[in-house]
């Protein structure tokens, strides 16, 4: 994989992320283990998603890439994360002015997670992103939630025909579409699925060999979850900035939040 980005030196140059939850809980959600973390520092994020956020703002993504990148190559740039929600968290950015990941961005990002392991998380505007520039969060962590959900192989006439890619869905009450295969096959399949997506927003969760798409209907599924729900929550880590909702959350609340935030489950063929 000589033509793929090697971020080892760049990662070593970055300051460690200060991921330190004030408190943690675990709950069972659709029969799988989910983690709740209290991170009050994330309340100070600029342009947090919500009804009070302005419609337009400065190009913060461009400023971050220009002033904070420790590495640039293959059209990607790497920075740290000032508001981490995971261990050893870094952020991959597109050097191009790109609102959402396209096939070129996915090629580098998915190759990176396939080689390095861990988890890659993508939020779009309308699905918890606070910055309107394509980027992906990477952490060396792996959570059990998605792997514990029951699943089935998926066959449908609207799925892209890509050599080396197979499709899966989780047996839950919301749409969660998985693509398995090498990074090259997955980037083609995911890019093609993005052109067939009928929702405005989406989250992506990738680990080595697989990528899950969570198309979105609602950004903030209140009252069940009082914040913009993102890829972290779909991955199994629910991030709270206020102690009250953190302590009050129940398994049913989180299940209802995922149902409300997502689209209807993919039916059996």
């Amino acid at each position: 994989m000589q033509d793929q980005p090697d971020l080892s030196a760049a990662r070593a140059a970055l300051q460690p992320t200060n991921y330190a939850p004030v408190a943690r809980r675990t709950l069972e959600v659709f029969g799988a283990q989910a983690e709740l973390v209290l991170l009050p520092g994330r309340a100070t994020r600029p342009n947090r998603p919500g009804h009070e956020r302005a419609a337009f703002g400065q190009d913060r993504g461009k400023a971050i890439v220009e002033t904070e990148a420790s590495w640039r190559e293959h059209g990607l740039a790497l920075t740290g994360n000032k508001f981490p929600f995971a261990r050893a968290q870094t952020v991959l950015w597109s050097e191009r002015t790109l609102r959402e990941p396209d096939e070129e961005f996915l090629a580098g990002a998915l190759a990176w997670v396939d080689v390095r392991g861990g988890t890659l998380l993508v939020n779009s505007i309308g699905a918890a992103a606070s910055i309107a520039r394509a980027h992906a969060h990477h952490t060396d962590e792996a959570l059990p939630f998605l792997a514990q959900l029951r699943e089935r192989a998926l066959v449908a006439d609207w799925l892209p025909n890509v050599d080396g890619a197979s499709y899966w869905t989780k047996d839950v009450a919301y749409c969660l579409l998985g693509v398995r295969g090498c990074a090259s096959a997955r980037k083609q399949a995911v890019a093609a699925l993005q052109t067939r997506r009928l929702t405005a927003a989406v989250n992506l969760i990738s680990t080595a060999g697989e990528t899950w798409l969570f198309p979105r209907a609602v950004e903030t599924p209140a009252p069940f979850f009082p914040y913009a729900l993102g890829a972290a929550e779909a991955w199994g880590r629910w991030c709270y900035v206020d102690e009250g909702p953190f302590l009050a959350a129940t398994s049913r609340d989180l299940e209802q939040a995922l149902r409300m935030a997502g689209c209807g489950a993919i039916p059996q063929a």
Side-chain angles (χ1 to χ4, degrees), residues 40-59:
R42 284 178 58 80
T44 62
R45 279 192 307 157
N47 296 329
R48 282 178 61 200
H51 294 301
E52 297 179 357
R53 181 167 65 175
F56 295 92
Q58 298 291 333
D59 188 349

Side-chain angles (χ1 to χ4, degrees), residues 120-203:
L120 193 80
L121 303 167
V122 175
N123 299 320
S124 75
I125 287 291
S130 61
I131 298 175
R133 187 187 185 100
H135 62 285
H137 298 270
H138 182 264
T139 171
D140 63 7
E141 292 188 77
L143 296 185
F145 177 70
L146 289 176
Q148 290 177 358
L149 295 175
R150 293 174 55 190
E151 64 181 39
R152 55 183 166 85
L154 182 63
V155 177
D157 58 7
W158 48 266
L159 289 170
N161 184 14
V162 176
D163 289 342
S166 63
Y167 300 99
W168 303 79
T169 187
K170 296 293 186 179
D171 281 326
V172 289
Y174 57 97
C175 177
L176 198 55
L177 171 58
V179 183
R180 292 199 171 110
C182 68
S184 177
R186 293 200 331 276
K187 61 101 173 176
Q188 293 180 57
V190 173
L193 285 165
Q194 298 289 59
T195 68
R196 303 172 191 207
R197 192 183 81 232
L198 300 181
T199 66
V202 69
N203 300 113

Side-chain angles (χ1 to χ4, degrees), residues 15 20 26 33-34 55 79 99 114 135 185 190 200 207-208 242 254 265-266:
Q15 294 295 319
T26 58
Q33 180 183 317
T79 72
R99 186 173 175 86
D114 275 16
H135 62 285
V190 173
T207 54
D242 302 296
L254 304 193
I266 300 175

Side-chain angles (χ1 to χ4, degrees), residues 83-101:
F83 303 96
F85 54 82
R87 186 181 65 209
Q89 191 173 350
T90 53
V91 185
L92 280 172
W93 301 84
S94 171
E95 287 203 280
R96 294 172 292 132
T97 303
L98 186 66
R99 186 173 175 86
E100 291 190 13

